[in-house]
Amino acid sequence: MITTATVLVAGATGDLGRRIVRELLRHDTLVRVLTRPGTGTAHGMFHEVAYTDRAGLASALSGVDTVISAVSGARPVIVDAQRALLAAAVAAGVARFIPSDYSADYRRITPGSNRNFELRRELAADLDAAPIRVTSVLNGAFADMLTGQAPMILFKRHRVLFWSSPDQILDFTTKDDVARIVALAALDAKAPRVVEIAGDRVTARSIAGTMTELTKTPFSLQWAGTTGTLAAMSRIGRYLSKDKDQAFPAWQGMQYFVSMFNGEAELQHINNDRYGPHDWTSVRDVLDVHLKETTDGH
């Protein structure tokens, strides 16, 4: 049941956070935005508060029905800041909390194999123990990353990389589709503990076929090693890394591919129809737009 609510969004100035706010404003919803000191936006719907400021958090959360966290970072943010936000939400009597998960399924991954997933799993233990209703949105990887951050498609070399198997199912959802579901889940008093969505489910093999169709140029599969080899490379990269608190270093990207290509992070209970029919943006759609923009740019 969709109801009018006061929703606070933490991390609303980030890429995904802005999209979530935009989706919330499509509904009869009162939106508050929590920003960190120094942003210069503490007015109206904006509340500029440090996560270490208990009194400030309590004031910002007063009268809020649901907290949506869209913060991004490593341990100081995903665990420490969200723990403070959770404690403040409980103290303020907030009914529901949506943590900054927005990922593949981190619940079944092997310990030590994916730092960012393990941070989410660590926080989940606190969330499950807190006297507040929690809903996590799991969406696989962001489909938008296929054209930039995730170097799986070698556009100029006409190759699609894979590890271990080219037929492993990979879950992808665009940030816009994720934001839509997060907003609807925030207004859904009966939302379950976990909402799983996938805008598209593809394989390295099917991506190669899609790229071949879209470009009229053969794209072939390129074996990049096993997931075990990639995991070893990520461990070396992490060991040599100078900034341990960087949110998305190259070695973390390797860990994400390990979790996806070994099947541990594959979504198992997708429910794309929970909030009614919707035209989900497919991987093909994302690649088609990217190729047209790239061609126009040249």
Side-chain angles (χ1 to χ4, degrees):
M1 178 180 179
I2 306 299
T3 58
T4 302
T6 297
V7 181
L8 179 140
V9 182
T13 57
D15 188 9
L16 180 61
R18 288 196 300 268
R19 298 169 197 250
I20 292 172
V21 170
R22 182 188 64 203
E23 290 296 326
L24 285 169
L25 292 175
R26 297 181 189 276
H27 303 278
D28 185 15
T29 309
L30 297 175
V31 179
R32 296 185 194 176
V33 168
L34 187 68
T35 64
R36 287 175 290 185
T39 60
T41 54
H43 60 84
M45 65 187 283
F46 292 86
H47 294 257
E48 195 174 85
V49 182
Y51 287 99
T52 53
D53 181 357
R54 293 185 179 182
L57 285 175
S59 176
L61 292 171
S62 177
V64 168
D65 297 299
T66 301
V67 167
I68 298 175
S69 176
V71 297
S72 178
R75 173 172 290 279
V77 177
I78 296 300
V79 177
D80 299 339
Q82 287 197 104
R83 275 179 175 164
L85 186 61
L86 173 64
V90 171
V94 174
R96 301 186 51 236
F97 192 100
I98 297 178
S100 186
D101 285 343
Y102 321 124
S103 66
D105 194 343
Y106 56 79
R107 296 169 294 180
R108 297 181 297 114
I109 62 164
T110 301
S113 65
N114 190 311
R115 180 202 62 180
N116 284 6
F117 282 1
E118 290 180 74
L119 293 176
R120 284 161 171 75
R121 188 159 62 186
E122 181 179 341
L123 180 70
D126 291 52
L127 293 167
D128 290 336
I132 191 171
R133 284 181 58 85
V134 177
T135 296
S136 290
V137 175
L138 301 181
N139 50 259
F142 290 130
D144 321 62
M145 294 173 62
L146 279 171
T147 59
Q149 275 183 289
M152 179 181 169
I153 304 174
L154 307 181
F155 291 90
K156 293 182 179 180
R157 293 177 57 189
H158 306 133
R159 299 283 191 276
V160 174
L161 300 181
F162 73 93
W163 289 264
S164 290
S165 171
D167 299 309
Q168 168 61 45
I169 296 294
L170 310 172
D171 302 304
F172 287 101
T173 311
T174 63
K175 292 177 182 177
D176 282 342
D177 280 337
V178 172
R180 185 184 72 88
I181 293 299
V182 171
L184 291 171
L187 303 177
D188 178 6
K190 296 183 179 180
R193 174 64 181 84
V194 177
V195 173
E196 294 184 26
I197 57 170
D200 204 354
R201 309 195 81 195
V202 297
T203 65
R205 190 184 303 280
S206 71
I207 290 176
T210 296
M211 287 299 299
T212 297
E213 293 175 11
L214 291 175
T215 63
K216 310 302 181 185
T217 302
F219 268 68
S220 59
L221 290 165
Q222 181 169 323
W223 184 71
T226 66
T227 54
T229 301
L230 186 61
M233 291 174 61
S234 73
R235 287 192 293 270
I236 295 171
R238 184 176 188 177
Y239 177 77
L240 297 175
S241 176
K242 295 181 179 179
D243 186 356
K244 303 300 182 183
D245 285 332
Q246 188 178 353
F248 299 106
W251 58 263
Q252 175 61 63
M254 294 178 189
Q255 289 187 338
Y256 213 109
F257 275 137
V258 169
S259 298
M260 292 183 70
F261 274 94
N262 68 12
E264 288 187 349
E266 182 181 340
L267 299 175
Q268 302 295 316
H269 304 286
I270 295 170
N271 185 4
N272 282 357
D273 296 328
R274 177 173 180 83
Y275 299 110
H278 174 69
D279 292 330
W280 296 84
T281 304
S282 67
V283 165
R284 182 188 182 91
D285 295 334
V286 171
L287 296 176
D288 190 27
V289 169
H290 174 72
L291 290 169
K292 289 177 178 176
E293 290 178 344
T294 302
T295 301
D296 292 343
H298 289 314

